Amino acid sequence: MRKKVIAGNWKMNMLPNEAIQFIEELAPLVKDTENEVILCVPYTDLFYSLLTAQNTNIKIGAQNMHFEESGAYTGEVSGKMLKAINVEYVIIGHSERRQYFNETDETVNKKIKAAFSYGLKPIVCVGETLEEREANKTAEIITKQTELALVGLTEEQVKNTIIAYEPIWAIGTGKTATSEDANNSIKEIRNKIAKIYGQNVAEEVIIQYGGSVKSSNAKELFTMSDIDGGLVGGASLKAEEFSKIVNFKG
Ligand code: PGA
């Protein structure tokens, strides 16, 4: 049985004092969950969040990293730097980074490899645009993105990759894919992984749904056969609301 992994993606929100307050409020609310709880926070919140989350079941992640270890890359942060302060997870290839910061399937793949080389666990985002969906290209797009993201990884690394299926038209729009649609897309991704790496590898990969997840739809989505939790943007900015998503009952 795969466990459910619920990750918050704060995007470019929350000051350090707000992060500390949030985690202090969230920790008692989620302390009894069997689900994995992750908060992916801005770089400037990482250190404070890690300190505040010590001795809780809340794990901390970053939202991006560079694939090089160090060097003349002004403004960038490497996996080595994240690992040095004990960050555990890193989101890679979020659609906003693909759209606004020229992230490509190739850089996504490089970043995933770099993340593993520093012992970070990548949460890799894939998803189709509305245009692609309307042209019936969803399966083609998301399986291709998945394949290219995972090129050259070992079976063990693939098993430890978290994939977040996030239809771009559902991000921040209040529109959610139906649970059946989301489940079917995630099955396509899992089948693709099975074809390349084998069924036993595919069965272990955590594949989340993301896009307007909130406490009122979390249960319906997360109880589907292939949806292993969620990557949550807007609804992860309020501790009580986020705790209800984490504590969804199947
Ligand atoms: P949303 O964002 O929950 O606000 O739609 C999800 C995401 O972008 O990861």
Side-chain angles (χ1 to χ4, degrees), residues 9 11 94 96 166 170-172 211-213 231-234:
N9 172 14
K11 309 192 179 184
H94 190 280
E96 287 151 16
E166 300 204 308
I171 295 177
S212 298
V213 173
L231 183 58
V232 185

Side-chain angles (χ1 to χ4, degrees), residues 16-70:
N17 62 319
E18 294 168 327
I20 293 167
Q21 219 178 0
F22 181 102
I23 293 167
E24 283 173 350
E25 193 184 335
L26 181 70
L29 300 176
V30 299
K31 68 178 181 4
D32 297 323
T33 184
E34 284 170 11
N35 305 326
E36 192 148 331
V37 193
I38 306 168
L39 288 174
C40 296
V41 308
Y43 291 135
T44 44
D45 292 339
L46 281 172
F47 196 68
Y48 302 94
S49 301
L50 283 157
L51 285 180
T52 315
Q54 261 178 0
N55 306 316
T56 76
N57 56 342
I58 301 167
K59 312 268 172 67
I60 301 298
Q63 300 172 8
N64 179 38
M65 57 173 266
H66 197 276
F67 49 80
E68 294 291 350
E69 176 176 303
S70 62

Side-chain angles (χ1 to χ4, degrees), residues 152-171:
L153 297 191
T154 65
E155 286 187 6
E156 210 46 41
Q157 289 171 335
V158 175
K159 282 185 194 171
N160 285 300
T161 302
I162 297 176
I163 294 176
Y165 165 60
E166 300 204 308
I168 294 167
W169 50 271
I171 295 177

Side-chain angles (χ1 to χ4, degrees), residues 6 22 25-26 29-30 212-218 232-248:
I6 322 293
F22 181 102
E25 193 184 335
L26 181 70
L29 300 176
V30 299
S212 298
V213 173
K214 40 190 181 285
S215 60
S216 58
N217 59 24
V232 185
S236 75
L237 294 169
K238 294 263 171 351
E240 205 192 333
E241 169 70 2
F242 187 60
S243 76
K244 286 185 192 156
I245 298 172
V246 170
N247 293 325
F248 82 95

Side-chain angles (χ1 to χ4, degrees), residues 197-217:
Y197 298 94
Q199 193 66 37
N200 68 325
V201 173
E203 286 303 327
E204 282 196 38
V205 180
I206 301 286
I207 310 182
Q208 302 171 314
Y209 167 78
S212 298
V213 173
K214 40 190 181 285
S215 60
S216 58
N217 59 24

Side-chain angles (χ1 to χ4, degrees), residues 106-124:
E106 196 191 342
T107 58
V108 166
N109 176 250
K110 282 185 177 175
K111 289 181 179 195
I112 297 169
K113 285 180 178 153
F116 276 121
S117 75
Y118 297 111
L120 296 162
K121 295 176 201 156
I123 301 174
V124 181

